[in-house]
């Protein structure tokens, strides 16, 4: 099964880290992710730029409104993600717990929906 491991960061906790601690955490995290990638557990990883660089939009009554920043005001923001492969949710959480980011935020693990099954269910097959 595939799981998305979403990494949320609290800027106040991030800024409170001792000098060099973030870089040390990041080096360890990248080395660990590389090991898990070689083992077939991490399928992809990305960091996201700061929320201030985002643009969000919503559509209400057929009108689209675009605005700067994240959709909702929140103390923690989505900073990055890993797409992982695990047997079940318990294993996915165990993998997520091996990363250090919960110290300065939270890590959410969510199953990835099988889009081929969705296509089949809604009769939206890809034509070859």
């Amino acid at each position: 099964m595939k799981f998305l491991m979403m990494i949320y960061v609290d800027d106040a906790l991030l800024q409170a880290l001792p000098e060099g601690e973030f870089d040390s955490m990041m080096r360890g995290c990248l080395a660990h992710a590389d090991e898990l990638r070689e083992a077939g557990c991490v399928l992809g990883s990305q960091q996201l730029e700061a929320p201030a660089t985002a643009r969000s939009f919503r559509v209400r009554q057929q009108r689209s409104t675009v605005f700067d920043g994240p959709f909702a005001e929140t103390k923690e923001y989505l900073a990055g993600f890993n797409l992982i492969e695990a047997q079940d949710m318990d294993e996915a959480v165990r993998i997520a717990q091996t990363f250090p980011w919960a110290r300065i935020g939270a890590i959410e693990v969510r199953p990835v929906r099988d889009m081929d099954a969705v296509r089949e269910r809604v009769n939206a097959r890809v034509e070859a």
Side-chain angles (χ1 to χ4, degrees):
M1 294 177 63
K2 289 182 178 70
F3 294 86
L4 187 63
M5 187 181 105
M6 294 168 281
I7 301 159
Y8 292 87
V9 171
D10 180 332
D11 258 344
L13 295 174
L14 180 63
Q15 298 304 320
L17 289 173
E19 181 73 29
E21 179 72 12
F22 175 81
D23 288 352
S24 177
M25 288 172 64
M26 197 68 222
R27 272 191 304 278
C29 180
L30 290 169
H32 183 57
D34 290 344
E35 291 168 0
L36 290 174
R37 185 173 289 107
E38 285 185 28
C41 293
V42 170
L43 306 176
S45 301
Q46 290 294 316
Q47 279 188 305
L48 299 175
E49 296 294 342
T53 66
R55 296 195 100 193
S56 299
F57 74 95
R58 62 173 61 125
V59 176
R60 300 291 185 273
Q61 299 173 346
Q62 287 83 40
R63 293 192 67 219
S64 179
T65 304
V66 178
F67 49 96
D68 290 337
F71 177 74
E73 292 298 321
T74 169
K75 190 166 118 175
E76 294 176 346
Y77 59 87
L78 183 62
F81 64 88
N82 291 310
L83 181 62
I84 62 176
E85 183 78 32
Q87 297 238 260
D88 55 27
M89 177 61 85
D90 291 337
E91 182 184 19
V93 169
R94 280 192 298 277
I95 292 169
Q97 288 173 327
T98 66
F99 288 86
W101 307 116
R103 287 181 41 207
I104 57 171
I107 297 177
E108 177 182 343
V109 178
R110 192 182 307 176
V112 174
R113 188 166 288 157
D114 180 346
M115 290 305 292
D116 290 334
V118 173
R119 284 182 176 280
E120 184 70 26
R121 183 177 57 79
V122 301
N123 198 24
R125 292 179 193 89
V126 176
E127 300 297 322

